[in-house]
Amino acid sequence: MDFRDVSLTALRVFRAVADQGTFTAAAASLGYTQSAVSRQIAAIERAAGAELLERRRDGVRLTPAGRVVMRRATAVLDEIEATARELSGLPEQAGTVRLGWFPSAGAVLLPRALTALRRTDPGLQVVGREGSTPALVRALRAGSLDLAVLASAPPFRPPDSESPPLTLQTLTERALCLAVPATHPLARGDFVDVADLRGQRWIAGSSTGEDRLMGVWPGLDERPEIAHTARDWLAKLQLVAAGCGLTTVPAMLASAAPPGVRVLPVRGGPQEQRRLLLARLPHPPTDPVVRVATALRAAAVGAPAPSSPPA
């Protein structure tokens, strides 16, 4: 089979698999059966004469040949979509930027940046989605996102080991904070001493895998008591407001905390730093992408944070 005979359907399926990370997730996103997705991938790999996806226990990863096909496939699919818009009489959307963000960034950073863009660039359209860091990185690699806002914790490793490395820019680096019920004894001061975190009840991030202790203060020298688990940051903060426990939050969320919650810095022990990163593929960005990145940088720098604890 000649690669020039590859169908648009196969290209769309290939991009969906690379974006979603598994055949199953790609099938669900497209409304296909998993066997149909497998057939399309087999066809495009036969046409390429090479494996385009490395099958792994934790999902799939693009091979070097797959990265070549993905780069070209993205350009082809984008052109087809632009042609469809033009033929249907819709205006050209050359000013569209596809943006991804991790959950808590959507609470403060995104609204602030998008509000500023509506004033400075009213014709620019930003579309995108929330996701975990691995999902956002896959979407960048697959060409379905132009920019992604990621969170990073020490030792601040690159978000993936693919080549070429993603272009990363640090938007902010701030200390991790603690969300405390306003009625809790720890809420009486302007900071929390790390020694006072022993024996507390915690609202964790999820109930499975390594993520189970997300929301618990890192390095706690005891087995924590997990009162509740919740994936959604707003649910965690509402549980804190209800007096159900404590949880960690990025400093950026201080201004979005609901009534009944105090967000405080923590004193004692090493500072738990968190970085906010802006990631993209390592090719020259378009002017709309540059404008969105500039707005995100300004929003990140301007985001209020809890006061630093006294020395």
Side-chain angles (χ1 to χ4, degrees):
M1 181 179 175
D2 192 315
F3 197 81
R4 289 171 294 186
D5 296 327
V6 167
S7 69
L8 290 175
T9 298
L11 293 180
R12 291 191 181 99
V13 169
F14 177 57
R15 182 165 69 174
V17 172
D19 186 350
Q20 298 292 328
T22 68
F23 282 45
T24 302
S29 71
L30 294 168
Y32 291 176
T33 64
Q34 187 169 337
S35 61
V37 168
S38 297
R39 286 196 299 271
Q40 292 292 340
I41 295 301
I44 198 171
E45 288 186 322
R46 282 198 305 272
E51 281 196 350
L52 304 181
L53 297 167
E54 177 188 354
R55 281 74 165 172
R56 301 153 54 98
R57 284 188 298 176
D58 58 350
V60 298
R61 177 179 294 179
L62 289 171
T63 65
R67 288 193 290 271
V68 171
V69 173
M70 182 55 62
R71 185 174 67 251
R72 299 295 188 180
T74 297
V76 169
L77 293 172
D78 286 348
E79 284 297 317
I80 292 296
E81 290 164 6
T83 301
R85 287 195 299 270
E86 188 173 347
L87 289 173
S88 64
L90 295 176
E92 176 58 38
Q93 295 182 341
T96 297
V97 175
R98 300 164 300 177
L99 176 66
W101 58 87
F102 71 96
S104 61
V108 176
L109 179 69
L110 263 296
R112 183 176 286 115
L114 295 179
T115 298
L117 282 169
R118 280 198 297 271
R119 293 195 303 266
T120 61
D121 292 277
L124 193 154
Q125 183 179 14
V126 179
V127 297
R129 65 178 187 261
E130 175 185 292
S132 65
T133 291
L136 295 176
V137 169
R138 286 196 306 269
L140 282 172
R141 294 288 185 190
S144 56
L145 289 179
D146 301 305
L147 284 172
V149 180
L150 310 177
S152 181
F156 301 121
R157 296 188 180 93
D160 71 0
S161 57
E162 297 289 326
S163 181
L166 295 173
T167 296
L168 301 174
Q169 180 178 35
T170 298
L171 298 178
T172 62
E173 182 172 337
R174 292 178 177 172
L176 189 66
C177 294
L178 195 69
V180 182
T183 57
H184 196 286
L186 293 180
R188 295 171 184 165
D190 294 327
F191 64 92
V192 175
D193 194 293
V194 71
D196 292 331
L197 297 182
R198 300 188 84 254
Q200 301 294 337
R201 303 176 78 224
W202 297 92
I203 313 297
S206 67
S207 58
T208 59
E210 294 181 350
D211 289 344
R212 183 176 186 274
L213 297 185
M214 285 182 63
V216 177
W217 188 257
L220 195 67
D221 60 350
E222 65 176 358
R223 184 179 180 85
E225 179 186 353
I226 308 298
H228 300 281
T229 60
R231 291 184 179 275
D232 180 69
W233 70 268
L234 180 57
K236 288 198 290 183
L237 289 180
Q238 291 292 354
L239 287 168
V240 172
C244 298
L246 317 180
T247 195
T248 58
V249 293
M252 179 177 60
L253 280 184
S255 63
V261 174
R262 291 202 67 195
V263 176
L264 298 171
V266 177
R267 185 179 73 175
Q271 284 291 295
E272 288 293 336
Q273 297 298 113
R274 295 296 183 267
R275 287 179 185 170
L276 193 65
L277 302 176
L278 191 58
R280 61 175 174 83
L281 288 174
H283 53 60
T286 64
D287 181 62
V289 168
V290 170
R291 298 203 300 272
V292 172
T294 299
L296 288 167
R297 285 195 297 271
V301 171
S307 302
S308 299

